[in-house]
Amino acid sequence: MFLREHEKPLSKELINVDISGRPYQIEAIRSVFEGIDHAKRKFLLVMATGTGKTRTCVSMIDVLMRTNRIQRVLFLVDRIALGNQALDAFREYLPNAPLWPQRNETKFVTNRRVYVTTYQTMSNIIDDEGYGISPHFFDLIVADESHRSIYNVYKNIFDYFDALQIGLTATPKDALERNTFKLFQCEDGLPTFAYSYEEALKNNPPYLCDFEVLKIRTWFLEKGIRKDTISIEDQKRLLKAGKEPAEINYEGTEIEKSVTNLGTNTLIVREFMEECIKDESGVLPGKTIFFAMTIAHAHRLREVFDDLFPEYKGEIAKVIVSEDPKVYGKGGLLDQFVNKNFPRIAISVDMLDTGLDVRELVNLVFAKPVFSYTKFWQMIGRGTRLLEPKKIKPWCKTKDKFLIIDCWGNFDYFMVETGGETEKQSIPLPVRLFLTRLQKLTLAVSLKKDSIIEDCVTKLIEEIASLPQNNVVILDARTKLEQIDENYWSDLTKEKTEFLQKEIAPLMRTRSGEDYEAMYFELKVLFYSIAKIDEKQEKKLRENLLSRSAKVIIEMVSDLPLNVNVVAKQKDLINSVLTGGYLQKAGEPELNNLVEKLGPLMKLRDPVKQSQVSLDLQDVTHEKGYIKFGPEHERITVQKYRDRVQTLIKNLENKNVVLRKIKMGESITDEELNQLAATLQENDPYPTEENLQKAYEARKVKFLDLIKYIMGVSGLVTFPQKVTTAFDGFIAEHNNLTTKQIQFIQTLQSFIIENGELSKKDLVSEPFTKFHNNGFLGLFDHKLQQEILQLTDRILNYA
């Protein structure tokens, strides 16, 4: 592949490339061609899902073939469906190149130019002596979606063939065990070419489609399934069926793992049918993927669709999973979903999470939790493609956005803002850990917390000592590392901190063979620790960070399998984290103990549990992210409603006398406030106190305080934040409470947030009698009873 005398550089051949007017694809090809001109053999192209990785690659292959640089190409995929998709692309954009396999062709032949197959098939062909395929047979190997399938056993394909290698991926997974960058001889974080989702959205016109997110949490998903969350009617039905309601006790996270509930699946389907983006008729949903947990879960969802909408005679939704032979081939279920009017909804388990190209997709439903950030963005990528003007299909004539319905809090789990958040540059996990610990050290120095400073310094020194001394990157950085002696840490100046951030932290990417699951857990605990000690942080933001970090830690701990001996030894600590308020009461020693004891167990996490219980209980919507407003009862997302309100007030603040007075900090009379409310309600989006409270999660916050917050005149403490802060403070002050008393107080906190009120009668009724038959009266002495009543009175009567 080196240049011969009569050949001109490949980069000069770009004039021959036809890429349909997308300059970034030309740049991707240019990056590869320039590398080939300089005798480089391996390349990694990182292009956001939907930006045309395959199309770019086909054009590149076209030029390489026409300039006689290559004769035969191997295009590798990890699933048959993606192979068929790639073959279609080659037929369309490279119609004269002989392809293997042709339709219904299974035997390997040697007289073609483009070969498309799965990793497993090619690995078998190499191992089969009957084929006797030469290591020089292919001139170019392309690994599609290379972040998933080219590791471990399939790496032998790349070792066997002496050929140029190109990896195509949307989200390289460099932070954990499978190092895509290393495989393609690129520095971490520096692929041959990259084009992000954000860049594609910002182009004018955009190359990809933006999305909106509707978060839906049902009552049972949020509160769990137990006696106090089951309606009286359902309790009576359970008793008639011989089931004792008091024995039913499942967390929301166990639904579709340890327990299945028909009512929850029914509610999710109903909400979807009400809220989804529909076709031109406004009746039928547009093309949709439901991401289900298991095949059994997928079939249960299909049955709900069939039961609720019998008029479609079982055609509206189909289960599409790789195990079903009816999925594949011309006329198969997948072909019907892509190319026919029906089915409209594909319910899938893993198979459609990544790689599938259906431009008409307008709805994605996360009916399962996702724990991989890479996979999360790949799933979102199913909907990002825009329509092709020349290939409009009657069931989807327009598409300017797509809708994601998140039933499991995945966007909260990954701390992604809804409404089209962009993918973040991938930073290796050891680098993130080092930088986060350095952030904690800097904070501790500013707060003069000596014990934390000592602990952070010790661990940072250990991380530096763990660098592989014989690694070429570390050898080159020896002079920098020698500056970090024992006296370096005694006076941590701004310059020293920047040196650690810019020069030392990037070296952490060389750490290999680590327990990355433990490292990831430690990182999450670090986030929680920083939020906990940073008392100077703005109160609302600090509480939000603490809450989100705690949820992530608890989720990870809850997935530890107690039936494994080494995990069972930590049962008391695990239970304390899950139900004993461990994180709320934990200081630095307790958080370090958590990392030390549970970190090494994280590789044993098993988020899917067996032995499922089946229930049929009515579920209700607990949380829904839309606002209905105005005379036409228009409905938009909470974020868009907020944006409209802020725009309205900004437009009026210099014209309206009352808004000007608020801006200047002057007092407002009740009459003036009523005038302002009337004025605002005459203008889109017609803000009312009730809708503003809902939009800003600010129950009981007064209209004037909400307006002040929107104008930036004052801060806002929401009702849930106020309640949470008050109860956290109460638990911290009473550090001798028993586990059951803490559970009672946490349940009381949730009860007040949900209901906004409390009576003494409530305290001796469900759900509080599950802790003691006499509820509040049986669990606390008289002094504590009075303190709790005073606490709730302060919260509810002075909100």
Side-chain angles (χ1 to χ4, degrees), residues 365-393:
V365 181
F366 283 79
K368 69 175 182 180
V370 183
F371 299 99
S372 163
Y373 188 74
T374 296
K375 188 173 184 179
F376 175 66
W377 273 105
Q378 284 286 313
M379 293 163 79
I380 291 173
R382 298 314 98 221
T384 58
R385 289 169 177 81
L386 294 167
L387 301 180
E388 289 188 74
K390 295 181 180 179
K391 298 181 180 179
I392 298 297
K393 296 176 180 176

Side-chain angles (χ1 to χ4, degrees), residues 689 692-693 698 701-710:
E689 183 177 80
L692 290 177
Q693 287 174 342
V701 177
K702 299 301 182 184
F703 184 72
L704 178 59
D705 294 325
L706 288 161
I707 297 299
K708 286 181 178 180
Y709 172 71
I710 294 166

